[in-house]
């Protein structure tokens, strides 16, 4: 994977940002070093499944640390890797999570298990809560996934959430579902290969190949 402008700049940048916002201790710096290699490998696997033209350069996987969406995904993966490597010492994972929230306006906690490949576009104002997420999950700005009365969604593969969409509670979202902008799904199952819009309990569900 190409890291632009360089791996060295990435190492300096993440440490500079964390130290300026929260103060990075020497032990945390060592933890960061140990977790970075694994995180970059996971970042490459995630980006490899993206069809976005900005994730390729000269037929290689491309990670620009100044592409906010790419850096956003990297920071989530880093915070989660630090947590997985050091579950009893959460402060550094908290700092990276908070840094991501500060830079990108996204609430994606490191305890949330995202799939190997997930994608986002302008994620400002989105909250990805506890749920089961299938591979190639995609979301945009102002999206919410979360619980209702202690129940959490189960989201299949290749599900897309457009701007302002919400999935809450006891929901099973099938594979290849498109959740249209401003759709509100609560405690409702959505069959695979569907386009859904409107608000529960009055959702409109159509096969993806049909026209409104």
């Amino acid at each position: 994977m190409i890291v632009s402008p360089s791996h060295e700049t990435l190492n300096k940048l993440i440490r500079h940002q964390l130290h300026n916002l929260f103060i990075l201790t020497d032990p945390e710096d060592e933890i960061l070093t140990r977790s970075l290699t694994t995180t970059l490998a996971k970042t490459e696997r995630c980006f490899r499944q993206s069809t976005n033209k900005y994730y390729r350069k000269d037929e290689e996987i491309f990670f620009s640390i100044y592409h906010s969406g790419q850096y956003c995904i990297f920071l989530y993966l880093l915070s989660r890797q630090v947590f997985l490597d050091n579950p009893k010492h959460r402060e550094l994972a908290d700092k990276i999570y908070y840094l991501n929230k500060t830079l990108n306006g996204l609430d994606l906690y490191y305890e949330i298990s995202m799939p190997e490949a997930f994608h986002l576009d302008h994620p400002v104002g989105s909250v990805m809560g506890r749920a089961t997420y299938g591979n190639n999950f995609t979301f945009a700005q102002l999206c919410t996934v979360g619980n209702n009365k202690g129940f959490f969604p189960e989201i299949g593969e290749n599900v897309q959430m457009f701007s302002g969409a919400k999935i809450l509670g006891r929901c099973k979202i099938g594979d290849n579902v498109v959740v249209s902008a401003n759709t509100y799904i609560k405690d409702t199952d959505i069959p695979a290969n569907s386009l859904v819009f409107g608000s529960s309990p009055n959702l409109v569900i159509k096969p993806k190949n049909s026209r409104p």
Side-chain angles (χ1 to χ4, degrees):
M1 178 173 68
I2 300 170
V3 177
S4 177
S6 67
H7 284 82
E8 181 183 7
T9 302
L10 175 63
N11 287 330
K12 289 180 179 178
L13 180 66
I14 185 65
R15 286 170 166 83
H16 177 76
Q17 290 172 332
L18 288 170
H19 188 73
N20 278 355
L21 281 178
F22 308 110
I23 301 177
L24 186 67
T25 67
D26 289 340
E28 288 174 339
D29 189 89
E30 293 175 7
I31 292 170
L32 195 63
T33 298
R34 292 196 297 269
S35 296
L36 269 171
T37 300
T38 303
T39 300
L40 283 171
K42 290 183 175 181
T43 301
E44 181 174 5
R45 288 198 293 272
C46 180
F47 289 4
R48 188 174 298 280
Q49 298 183 57
S50 174
T51 59
N52 190 313
K53 65 180 181 180
Y54 296 108
Y55 288 65
R56 295 282 193 288
K57 186 174 184 179
D58 299 326
E59 299 184 357
E60 289 192 54
I61 307 304
F62 182 72
F63 171 24
S64 169
I65 64 178
Y66 302 127
H67 182 291
S68 61
Q70 293 178 2
Y71 196 56
C72 180
I73 292 171
F74 166 78
L75 287 176
Y76 159 75
L77 292 173
L78 181 59
S79 66
R80 181 156 175 81
Q81 191 61 48
V82 167
F83 165 65
L84 293 174
D85 290 343
N86 307 272
K88 294 183 179 179
H89 303 282
R90 295 188 174 213
E91 280 197 5
L92 178 57
D94 284 333
K95 291 176 183 179
I96 300 168
Y97 155 72
Y98 197 1
L99 173 63
N100 201 8
K101 194 172 182 179
T102 301
L103 290 175
N104 297 299
L106 169 66
D107 195 324
L108 181 51
Y109 192 45
Y110 54 78
E111 284 191 3
I112 306 301
S113 180
M114 299 300 286
E116 178 180 81
F118 70 98
H119 317 290
L120 49 82
D121 228 353
H122 314 296
V124 176
S126 289
V127 179
M128 294 294 110
R130 298 184 190 277
T132 302
Y133 295 91
N135 212 36
N136 286 314
F137 172 70
T138 303
F139 66 94
Q141 66 270 28
L142 301 173
C143 290
T144 301
V145 174
N147 86 91
N148 180 45
K149 299 179 180 178
F151 293 100
F152 301 88
E154 297 177 25
I155 300 174
E157 296 188 352
N158 306 311
V159 171
Q160 295 176 277
M161 294 181 69
F162 283 88
S163 174
K166 297 175 177 61
I167 303 174
L168 301 176
R170 196 199 294 259
C171 303
K172 289 187 178 180
I173 311 299
D175 296 344
N176 308 309
V177 167
V178 174
V179 185
S180 300
N182 300 313
T183 296
Y184 176 41
I185 303 172
K186 185 179 78 169
D187 299 331
T188 307
D189 293 346
I190 306 298
N193 304 304
S194 296
L195 169 67
V196 56
F197 53 95
S199 296
S200 292
N202 300 309
L203 292 166
V204 178
I205 302 170
K206 294 178 175 288
K208 278 177 67 177
N209 61 357
S210 71
R211 295 181 181 274

